[in-house]
Short mmCIF file of all heavy atoms in Angstrom, two decimals:
data_model
loop_
_atom_site.label_atom_id
_atom_site.label_comp_id
_atom_site.label_asym_id
_atom_site.label_seq_id
_atom_site.Cartn_x
_atom_site.Cartn_y
_atom_site.Cartn_z
N GLU B 310 -23.22 0.71 -36.30
CA GLU B 310 -22.58 -0.28 -37.18
C GLU B 310 -21.83 0.37 -38.36
O GLU B 310 -20.98 -0.05 -39.03
CB GLU B 310 -23.50 -1.28 -37.76
CG GLU B 310 -24.86 -0.79 -38.26
CD GLU B 310 -25.70 -1.85 -38.91
OE1 GLU B 310 -25.09 -2.63 -39.68
OE2 GLU B 310 -26.81 -1.83 -38.71
N LYS B 311 -22.29 1.69 -38.63
CA LYS B 311 -21.56 2.32 -39.64
C LYS B 311 -20.36 3.11 -38.89
O LYS B 311 -19.91 2.60 -37.88
CB LYS B 311 -22.38 3.40 -40.36
CG LYS B 311 -23.54 2.60 -41.10
CD LYS B 311 -24.10 3.45 -42.25
CE LYS B 311 -25.21 2.54 -42.97
NZ LYS B 311 -26.41 2.35 -42.23
N SER B 312 -19.94 4.21 -39.38
CA SER B 312 -18.84 4.94 -38.69
C SER B 312 -19.43 5.72 -37.57
O SER B 312 -20.58 6.13 -37.54
CB SER B 312 -17.94 5.73 -39.60
OG SER B 312 -18.74 6.91 -39.89
N LEU B 313 -18.62 6.04 -36.70
CA LEU B 313 -19.12 6.90 -35.55
C LEU B 313 -19.50 8.32 -36.05
O LEU B 313 -20.40 8.90 -35.39
CB LEU B 313 -17.96 7.11 -34.44
CG LEU B 313 -17.77 5.77 -33.52
CD1 LEU B 313 -16.66 6.07 -32.50
CD2 LEU B 313 -19.04 5.39 -32.96
N SER B 314 -18.93 8.77 -37.10
CA SER B 314 -19.29 10.05 -37.55
C SER B 314 -20.71 10.06 -37.97
O SER B 314 -21.48 11.02 -37.76
CB SER B 314 -18.35 10.55 -38.61
OG SER B 314 -18.46 9.74 -39.77
N GLU B 315 -21.08 9.00 -38.58
CA GLU B 315 -22.53 8.92 -38.96
C GLU B 315 -23.43 8.85 -37.83
O GLU B 315 -24.55 9.43 -37.80
CB GLU B 315 -22.77 7.64 -39.86
CG GLU B 315 -22.09 7.70 -41.21
CD GLU B 315 -22.58 6.65 -42.10
OE1 GLU B 315 -23.76 6.39 -42.16
OE2 GLU B 315 -21.75 6.10 -42.90
N LEU B 316 -23.06 8.15 -36.75
CA LEU B 316 -23.89 8.16 -35.55
C LEU B 316 -23.97 9.58 -35.02
O LEU B 316 -25.05 9.94 -34.66
CB LEU B 316 -23.14 7.25 -34.51
CG LEU B 316 -23.86 7.21 -33.03
CD1 LEU B 316 -25.14 6.61 -33.08
CD2 LEU B 316 -22.91 6.61 -32.05
N PHE B 317 -22.86 10.26 -34.87
CA PHE B 317 -23.00 11.61 -34.31
C PHE B 317 -23.73 12.52 -35.25
O PHE B 317 -24.46 13.40 -34.78
CB PHE B 317 -21.48 12.16 -34.14
CG PHE B 317 -20.84 11.37 -33.03
CD1 PHE B 317 -19.49 11.37 -33.04
CD2 PHE B 317 -21.47 10.67 -32.05
CE1 PHE B 317 -18.68 10.65 -31.93
CE2 PHE B 317 -20.78 10.01 -31.05
CZ PHE B 317 -19.35 10.05 -31.05
N GLU B 318 -23.81 12.32 -36.53
CA GLU B 318 -24.59 13.14 -37.45
C GLU B 318 -26.11 12.86 -37.09
O GLU B 318 -27.01 13.78 -36.97
CB GLU B 318 -24.47 12.80 -38.95
CG GLU B 318 -23.38 13.49 -39.64
CD GLU B 318 -23.56 14.95 -39.58
OE1 GLU B 318 -24.66 15.38 -39.89
OE2 GLU B 318 -22.64 15.63 -39.17
N LEU B 319 -26.40 11.65 -36.77
CA LEU B 319 -27.80 11.28 -36.38
C LEU B 319 -28.21 11.93 -35.20
O LEU B 319 -29.31 12.51 -35.00
CB LEU B 319 -27.86 9.77 -36.35
CG LEU B 319 -29.25 9.16 -36.25
CD1 LEU B 319 -30.11 9.44 -37.31
CD2 LEU B 319 -29.10 7.66 -35.92
N MET B 320 -27.28 12.04 -34.17
CA MET B 320 -27.57 12.59 -32.86
C MET B 320 -27.78 14.04 -33.11
O MET B 320 -28.79 14.69 -32.57
CB MET B 320 -26.32 12.47 -31.96
CG MET B 320 -25.81 11.12 -31.78
SD MET B 320 -26.85 10.07 -30.86
CE MET B 320 -25.83 9.54 -29.66
N LYS B 321 -26.89 14.66 -33.89
CA LYS B 321 -27.13 16.15 -34.14
C LYS B 321 -28.43 16.43 -34.77
O LYS B 321 -29.11 17.46 -34.28
CB LYS B 321 -26.05 16.61 -35.18
CG LYS B 321 -25.16 17.74 -34.63
CD LYS B 321 -24.43 18.43 -35.70
CE LYS B 321 -23.03 17.87 -35.88
NZ LYS B 321 -22.18 18.68 -36.85
N ASN B 322 -28.87 15.55 -35.68
CA ASN B 322 -30.30 15.79 -36.29
C ASN B 322 -31.31 15.75 -35.32
O ASN B 322 -32.39 16.25 -35.66
CB ASN B 322 -30.44 14.77 -37.46
CG ASN B 322 -29.43 14.99 -38.58
OD1 ASN B 322 -28.79 16.01 -38.66
ND2 ASN B 322 -29.20 14.00 -39.34
N HIS B 323 -31.13 14.91 -34.31
CA HIS B 323 -32.22 14.83 -33.37
C HIS B 323 -32.11 15.62 -32.06
O HIS B 323 -32.68 15.33 -31.06
CB HIS B 323 -32.34 13.25 -32.83
CG HIS B 323 -32.96 12.46 -33.98
ND1 HIS B 323 -32.36 12.19 -35.14
CD2 HIS B 323 -34.24 11.90 -33.97
CE1 HIS B 323 -33.16 11.39 -35.87
NE2 HIS B 323 -34.34 11.25 -35.22
N GLU B 324 -31.35 16.69 -32.24
CA GLU B 324 -30.97 17.52 -31.07
C GLU B 324 -32.10 18.15 -30.39
O GLU B 324 -32.15 18.46 -29.25
CB GLU B 324 -29.98 18.61 -31.48
CG GLU B 324 -28.67 18.36 -30.97
CD GLU B 324 -27.86 19.66 -30.94
OE1 GLU B 324 -28.20 20.60 -31.69
OE2 GLU B 324 -26.92 19.70 -30.07
N ASP B 325 -33.16 18.36 -31.21
CA ASP B 325 -34.41 19.01 -30.65
C ASP B 325 -34.99 18.12 -29.61
O ASP B 325 -35.79 18.57 -28.80
CB ASP B 325 -35.38 19.23 -31.75
CG ASP B 325 -35.77 18.05 -32.54
OD1 ASP B 325 -34.79 17.38 -32.93
OD2 ASP B 325 -36.94 17.79 -32.73
N LYS B 326 -34.59 16.80 -29.58
CA LYS B 326 -35.21 15.87 -28.54
C LYS B 326 -34.49 15.94 -27.20
O LYS B 326 -34.88 15.39 -26.19
CB LYS B 326 -35.21 14.51 -28.99
CG LYS B 326 -35.99 14.24 -30.20
CD LYS B 326 -37.50 14.50 -30.00
CE LYS B 326 -38.30 13.88 -31.20
NZ LYS B 326 -37.83 14.55 -32.52
N LEU B 327 -33.37 16.79 -27.16
CA LEU B 327 -32.60 16.86 -25.94
C LEU B 327 -33.43 17.66 -24.94
O LEU B 327 -33.86 18.75 -25.26
CB LEU B 327 -31.27 17.62 -26.07
CG LEU B 327 -29.96 16.68 -26.53
CD1 LEU B 327 -28.82 17.74 -26.52
CD2 LEU B 327 -29.82 15.62 -25.46
N CYS B 328 -33.62 17.20 -23.76
CA CYS B 328 -34.33 17.94 -22.71
C CYS B 328 -33.32 18.46 -21.70
O CYS B 328 -32.23 17.92 -21.55
CB CYS B 328 -35.28 17.07 -21.90
SG CYS B 328 -36.18 15.98 -22.91
N VAL B 329 -33.68 19.46 -20.92
CA VAL B 329 -32.98 19.83 -19.74
C VAL B 329 -33.96 19.90 -18.53
O VAL B 329 -35.20 20.11 -18.71
CB VAL B 329 -32.35 21.26 -19.86
CG1 VAL B 329 -31.23 21.24 -20.85
CG2 VAL B 329 -33.35 22.32 -20.25
N ASN B 330 -33.34 19.75 -17.39
CA ASN B 330 -34.26 19.70 -16.17
C ASN B 330 -34.21 21.21 -15.66
O ASN B 330 -33.71 22.09 -16.36
CB ASN B 330 -33.81 18.74 -15.11
CG ASN B 330 -32.37 19.07 -14.57
OD1 ASN B 330 -31.79 19.99 -14.96
ND2 ASN B 330 -31.84 18.15 -13.83
N GLU B 331 -34.77 21.40 -14.46
CA GLU B 331 -34.78 22.77 -13.98
C GLU B 331 -33.46 23.37 -13.68
O GLU B 331 -33.26 24.55 -13.44
CB GLU B 331 -35.84 22.90 -12.73
CG GLU B 331 -35.45 22.03 -11.51
CD GLU B 331 -35.97 20.60 -11.71
OE1 GLU B 331 -36.49 20.21 -12.71
OE2 GLU B 331 -35.89 19.90 -10.58
N ASP B 332 -32.48 22.50 -13.47
CA ASP B 332 -31.19 23.02 -13.18
C ASP B 332 -30.33 23.13 -14.49
O ASP B 332 -29.14 23.32 -14.39
CB ASP B 332 -30.44 22.04 -12.16
CG ASP B 332 -31.14 21.95 -10.86
OD1 ASP B 332 -31.41 23.10 -10.29
OD2 ASP B 332 -31.40 20.85 -10.31
N ASN B 333 -31.04 23.07 -15.54
CA ASN B 333 -30.28 23.14 -16.92
C ASN B 333 -29.40 22.07 -17.15
O ASN B 333 -28.37 22.24 -17.88
CB ASN B 333 -29.65 24.52 -17.02
CG ASN B 333 -29.71 25.03 -18.46
OD1 ASN B 333 -30.55 24.72 -19.22
ND2 ASN B 333 -28.64 25.82 -18.85
N GLN B 334 -29.67 20.91 -16.57
CA GLN B 334 -28.76 19.78 -16.78
C GLN B 334 -29.41 18.94 -17.90
O GLN B 334 -30.63 18.73 -18.00
CB GLN B 334 -28.62 18.88 -15.55
CG GLN B 334 -27.98 19.76 -14.44
CD GLN B 334 -28.17 19.06 -13.02
OE1 GLN B 334 -29.10 18.22 -12.86
NE2 GLN B 334 -27.39 19.57 -12.03
N VAL B 335 -28.58 18.47 -18.85
CA VAL B 335 -29.11 17.80 -20.06
C VAL B 335 -29.58 16.42 -19.69
O VAL B 335 -28.66 15.64 -19.27
CB VAL B 335 -28.04 17.81 -21.11
CG1 VAL B 335 -28.48 17.04 -22.35
CG2 VAL B 335 -27.83 19.28 -21.51
N ILE B 336 -30.68 16.04 -20.18
CA ILE B 336 -31.17 14.65 -20.00
C ILE B 336 -31.04 14.04 -21.42
O ILE B 336 -31.86 14.41 -22.27
CB ILE B 336 -32.57 14.63 -19.46
CG1 ILE B 336 -32.67 15.31 -18.13
CG2 ILE B 336 -33.11 13.12 -19.35
CD1 ILE B 336 -34.12 15.61 -17.78
N TYR B 337 -30.20 13.14 -21.53
CA TYR B 337 -29.91 12.68 -22.94
C TYR B 337 -30.78 11.40 -23.35
O TYR B 337 -30.95 11.23 -24.55
CB TYR B 337 -28.41 12.16 -22.85
CG TYR B 337 -27.82 11.89 -24.12
CD1 TYR B 337 -27.72 12.90 -25.08
CD2 TYR B 337 -27.50 10.68 -24.48
CE1 TYR B 337 -27.14 12.63 -26.32
CE2 TYR B 337 -26.87 10.40 -25.75
CZ TYR B 337 -26.80 11.42 -26.61
OH TYR B 337 -26.25 11.17 -27.86
N ARG B 338 -31.38 10.73 -22.33
CA ARG B 338 -32.02 9.50 -22.70
C ARG B 338 -33.13 9.72 -23.70
O ARG B 338 -33.29 8.77 -24.51
CB ARG B 338 -32.47 8.83 -21.47
CG ARG B 338 -33.59 9.65 -20.69
CD ARG B 338 -33.79 9.22 -19.24
NE ARG B 338 -33.86 7.82 -19.03
CZ ARG B 338 -34.87 7.06 -19.23
NH1 ARG B 338 -36.03 7.59 -19.72
NH2 ARG B 338 -34.87 5.78 -19.02
N ASN B 339 -33.83 10.70 -23.72
CA ASN B 339 -34.96 10.90 -24.57
C ASN B 339 -34.50 11.06 -26.11
O ASN B 339 -35.20 10.58 -26.99
CB ASN B 339 -35.79 12.11 -24.19
CG ASN B 339 -36.35 11.98 -22.78
OD1 ASN B 339 -36.74 10.97 -22.47
ND2 ASN B 339 -36.23 13.13 -22.06
N LEU B 340 -33.38 11.62 -26.24
CA LEU B 340 -32.83 11.65 -27.61
C LEU B 340 -32.68 10.23 -28.12
O LEU B 340 -32.95 9.91 -29.36
CB LEU B 340 -31.51 12.44 -27.66
CG LEU B 340 -30.94 12.77 -29.02
CD1 LEU B 340 -30.07 14.07 -28.93
CD2 LEU B 340 -30.16 11.75 -29.64
N ILE B 341 -32.10 9.29 -27.41
CA ILE B 341 -31.76 8.04 -27.88
C ILE B 341 -33.15 7.27 -28.13
O ILE B 341 -33.31 6.54 -29.13
CB ILE B 341 -30.94 7.20 -26.89
CG1 ILE B 341 -29.59 7.97 -26.62
CG2 ILE B 341 -30.72 5.89 -27.31
CD1 ILE B 341 -28.72 7.42 -25.68
N LEU B 342 -34.05 7.52 -27.21
CA LEU B 342 -35.41 6.88 -27.41
C LEU B 342 -36.08 7.38 -28.68
O LEU B 342 -36.90 6.66 -29.20
CB LEU B 342 -36.25 7.15 -26.17
CG LEU B 342 -35.97 6.28 -25.00
CD1 LEU B 342 -36.77 6.78 -23.75
CD2 LEU B 342 -36.28 4.79 -25.20
N SER B 343 -35.60 8.55 -29.16
CA SER B 343 -36.33 9.13 -30.37
C SER B 343 -35.67 8.66 -31.56
O SER B 343 -36.19 8.98 -32.62
CB SER B 343 -36.33 10.66 -30.23
OG SER B 343 -34.90 11.11 -30.50
N LEU B 344 -34.59 8.00 -31.52
CA LEU B 344 -33.84 7.60 -32.84
C LEU B 344 -34.73 6.65 -33.53
O LEU B 344 -35.41 5.84 -32.90
CB LEU B 344 -32.57 7.03 -32.52
CG LEU B 344 -31.52 7.98 -31.80
CD1 LEU B 344 -30.21 7.16 -31.50
CD2 LEU B 344 -31.18 9.06 -32.76
N PRO B 345 -34.69 6.63 -34.86
CA PRO B 345 -35.49 5.69 -35.65
C PRO B 345 -34.98 4.28 -35.30
O PRO B 345 -33.93 3.81 -35.65
CB PRO B 345 -35.12 6.01 -37.14
CG PRO B 345 -33.91 6.75 -37.06
CD PRO B 345 -33.79 7.49 -35.76
N CYS B 346 -35.88 3.53 -34.48
CA CYS B 346 -35.30 2.37 -33.91
C CYS B 346 -35.63 1.12 -34.64
O CYS B 346 -34.81 0.23 -34.61
CB CYS B 346 -35.79 2.27 -32.54
SG CYS B 346 -37.58 2.09 -32.30
N GLN B 347 -36.75 0.93 -35.31
CA GLN B 347 -37.08 -0.33 -35.85
C GLN B 347 -35.86 -0.73 -36.84
O GLN B 347 -35.53 -1.87 -36.90
CB GLN B 347 -38.37 -0.32 -36.50
CG GLN B 347 -39.54 -0.55 -35.51
CD GLN B 347 -39.18 -1.68 -34.50
OE1 GLN B 347 -38.65 -2.64 -34.75
NE2 GLN B 347 -39.57 -1.32 -33.20
N SER B 348 -35.36 0.22 -37.62
CA SER B 348 -34.38 -0.08 -38.54
C SER B 348 -33.10 -0.02 -37.98
O SER B 348 -32.15 -0.83 -38.31
CB SER B 348 -34.43 0.78 -39.80
OG SER B 348 -34.45 2.15 -39.32
N GLY B 349 -32.95 0.84 -36.95
CA GLY B 349 -31.57 1.05 -36.38
C GLY B 349 -31.15 0.27 -35.29
O GLY B 349 -29.98 0.14 -35.03
N LYS B 350 -32.05 -0.36 -34.57
CA LYS B 350 -31.58 -1.02 -33.29
C LYS B 350 -30.84 -2.33 -33.69
O LYS B 350 -31.20 -3.08 -34.57
CB LYS B 350 -32.87 -1.27 -32.27
CG LYS B 350 -33.87 -2.28 -32.69
CD LYS B 350 -34.90 -2.30 -31.67
CE LYS B 350 -35.97 -3.34 -31.99
NZ LYS B 350 -37.08 -3.41 -30.96
N VAL B 351 -29.99 -2.66 -32.81
CA VAL B 351 -29.07 -3.83 -32.98
C VAL B 351 -29.95 -5.12 -32.82
O VAL B 351 -30.73 -5.25 -31.98
CB VAL B 351 -27.98 -3.80 -31.94
CG1 VAL B 351 -27.11 -5.04 -32.06
CG2 VAL B 351 -27.14 -2.52 -32.04
N ASP B 352 -29.78 -6.08 -33.79
CA ASP B 352 -30.46 -7.30 -33.74
C ASP B 352 -29.74 -8.29 -32.78
O ASP B 352 -28.94 -9.12 -33.14
CB ASP B 352 -30.44 -7.87 -35.12
CG ASP B 352 -31.27 -9.15 -35.14
OD1 ASP B 352 -31.88 -9.56 -34.17
OD2 ASP B 352 -31.27 -9.81 -36.32
N VAL B 353 -30.07 -8.11 -31.52
CA VAL B 353 -29.39 -8.90 -30.45
C VAL B 353 -29.86 -10.31 -30.44
O VAL B 353 -29.24 -11.12 -29.74
CB VAL B 353 -29.63 -8.27 -28.98
CG1 VAL B 353 -28.99 -6.94 -28.90
CG2 VAL B 353 -31.08 -8.14 -28.71
N GLY B 354 -30.81 -10.74 -31.23
CA GLY B 354 -31.19 -12.13 -31.41
C GLY B 354 -29.97 -12.90 -32.06
O GLY B 354 -30.06 -14.22 -32.07
N ARG B 355 -29.06 -12.26 -32.56
CA ARG B 355 -27.97 -13.01 -33.28
C ARG B 355 -26.81 -13.24 -32.33
O ARG B 355 -25.82 -13.92 -32.79
CB ARG B 355 -27.42 -12.05 -34.41
CG ARG B 355 -28.45 -11.77 -35.45
CD ARG B 355 -27.93 -10.57 -36.39
NE ARG B 355 -26.57 -10.83 -36.88
CZ ARG B 355 -26.33 -11.20 -38.09
NH1 ARG B 355 -27.30 -11.40 -39.02
NH2 ARG B 355 -25.07 -11.42 -38.51
N ILE B 356 -26.83 -12.76 -31.08
CA ILE B 356 -25.77 -12.90 -30.11
C ILE B 356 -25.55 -14.36 -29.77
O ILE B 356 -26.54 -15.09 -29.46
CB ILE B 356 -26.01 -11.99 -28.91
CG1 ILE B 356 -25.81 -10.57 -29.40
CG2 ILE B 356 -24.99 -12.38 -27.79
CD1 ILE B 356 -26.03 -9.55 -28.27
N LYS B 357 -24.34 -14.85 -29.73
CA LYS B 357 -24.04 -16.27 -29.49
C LYS B 357 -23.38 -16.49 -28.18
O LYS B 357 -22.93 -17.62 -27.83
CB LYS B 357 -23.16 -16.84 -30.63
CG LYS B 357 -23.79 -16.82 -31.92
CD LYS B 357 -24.53 -18.05 -32.39
CE LYS B 357 -25.01 -18.08 -33.74
NZ LYS B 357 -25.99 -17.02 -33.96
N CYS B 358 -22.98 -15.39 -27.40
CA CYS B 358 -22.26 -15.67 -26.17
C CYS B 358 -23.01 -15.13 -24.97
O CYS B 358 -23.85 -14.23 -25.13
CB CYS B 358 -20.89 -15.08 -26.26
SG CYS B 358 -20.97 -13.18 -26.35
N PRO B 359 -22.61 -15.48 -23.71
CA PRO B 359 -23.25 -14.94 -22.56
C PRO B 359 -23.12 -13.44 -22.48
O PRO B 359 -22.04 -12.91 -22.79
CB PRO B 359 -22.55 -15.71 -21.34
CG PRO B 359 -21.99 -16.87 -21.99
CD PRO B 359 -21.72 -16.57 -23.37
N LEU B 360 -24.16 -12.76 -22.10
CA LEU B 360 -24.12 -11.29 -22.01
C LEU B 360 -24.64 -10.79 -20.69
O LEU B 360 -25.74 -11.23 -20.26
CB LEU B 360 -25.06 -10.75 -23.22
CG LEU B 360 -25.34 -9.34 -23.24
CD1 LEU B 360 -24.16 -8.45 -23.42
CD2 LEU B 360 -26.40 -9.05 -24.32
N LEU B 361 -23.90 -10.04 -20.11
CA LEU B 361 -24.44 -9.42 -18.76
C LEU B 361 -24.57 -8.03 -18.97
O LEU B 361 -23.85 -7.21 -19.39
CB LEU B 361 -23.29 -9.65 -17.76
CG LEU B 361 -23.52 -8.98 -16.31
CD1 LEU B 361 -24.74 -9.69 -15.64
CD2 LEU B 361 -22.29 -9.13 -15.44
N LEU B 362 -25.83 -7.46 -18.62
CA LEU B 362 -26.18 -6.12 -18.67
C LEU B 362 -26.20 -5.54 -17.33
O LEU B 362 -26.90 -6.15 -16.40
CB LEU B 362 -27.64 -5.78 -19.33
CG LEU B 362 -27.78 -6.41 -20.72
CD1 LEU B 362 -29.21 -6.15 -21.22
CD2 LEU B 362 -26.73 -5.84 -21.76
N VAL B 363 -25.61 -4.50 -17.04
CA VAL B 363 -25.62 -3.81 -15.76
C VAL B 363 -26.20 -2.39 -15.95
O VAL B 363 -25.60 -1.55 -16.51
CB VAL B 363 -24.12 -3.70 -15.17
CG1 VAL B 363 -24.08 -3.01 -13.81
CG2 VAL B 363 -23.49 -5.18 -15.15
N ASN B 364 -27.36 -2.23 -15.27
CA ASN B 364 -28.04 -0.89 -15.44
C ASN B 364 -28.45 -0.26 -14.13
O ASN B 364 -28.62 -0.93 -13.18
CB ASN B 364 -29.27 -1.11 -16.32
CG ASN B 364 -28.95 -1.71 -17.73
OD1 ASN B 364 -27.88 -1.27 -18.21
ND2 ASN B 364 -29.72 -2.60 -18.16
N GLY B 365 -28.72 0.99 -14.16
CA GLY B 365 -29.30 1.70 -13.02
C GLY B 365 -30.60 2.17 -13.50
O GLY B 365 -30.75 2.73 -14.65
N ASP B 366 -31.57 2.11 -12.61
CA ASP B 366 -33.03 2.57 -13.05
C ASP B 366 -33.15 4.00 -12.97
O ASP B 366 -34.28 4.44 -13.36
CB ASP B 366 -33.99 1.72 -12.17
CG ASP B 366 -34.26 2.31 -10.86
OD1 ASP B 366 -33.69 3.22 -10.40
OD2 ASP B 366 -35.15 1.74 -10.19
N ASP B 367 -32.22 4.75 -12.53
CA ASP B 367 -32.31 6.16 -12.56
C ASP B 367 -31.29 6.77 -13.58
O ASP B 367 -30.79 7.86 -13.57
CB ASP B 367 -32.07 6.84 -11.23
CG ASP B 367 -32.36 8.32 -11.21
OD1 ASP B 367 -33.34 8.74 -11.82
OD2 ASP B 367 -31.70 9.17 -10.51
N ASP B 368 -30.99 5.95 -14.67
CA ASP B 368 -30.00 6.43 -15.64
C ASP B 368 -30.74 7.46 -16.48
O ASP B 368 -31.72 7.17 -17.19
CB ASP B 368 -29.66 5.20 -16.54
CG ASP B 368 -28.60 5.46 -17.43
OD1 ASP B 368 -28.39 6.61 -17.92
OD2 ASP B 368 -27.83 4.46 -17.84
N GLN B 369 -30.22 8.64 -16.49
CA GLN B 369 -30.84 9.78 -17.20
C GLN B 369 -30.09 10.05 -18.51
O GLN B 369 -30.47 10.92 -19.32
CB GLN B 369 -30.75 11.16 -16.31
CG GLN B 369 -31.54 11.03 -14.98
CD GLN B 369 -32.98 10.84 -15.35
OE1 GLN B 369 -33.49 11.41 -16.19
NE2 GLN B 369 -33.65 10.00 -14.56
#
Side-chain angles (χ1 to χ4, degrees):
Chain B
E310 47 175 317
K311 302 202 176 68
S312 74
L313 284 181
S314 66
E315 291 193 40
L316 171 67
F317 293 154
E318 271 305 310
L319 190 62
M320 312 286 238
K321 234 199 267 190
N322 295 340
H323 283 71
E324 255 205 332
D325 53 312
K326 301 294 189 309
L327 272 184
C328 322
V329 289
N330 64 5
E331 59 272 12
D332 296 313
N333 211 30
Q334 297 162 343
V335 172
I336 303 168
Y337 192 66
R338 63 197 318 280
N339 300 318
L340 188 154
I341 301 177
L342 282 169
S343 74
L344 295 177
C346 65
Q347 279 320 317
S348 51
K350 71 182 182 184
V351 177
D352 185 4
V353 293
R355 298 165 53 103
I356 290 177
K357 299 267 185 298
C358 68
L360 171 64
L361 174 66
L362 303 181
V363 180
N364 299 322
D366 77 0
D367 191 36
D368 189 333
Q369 297 296 320

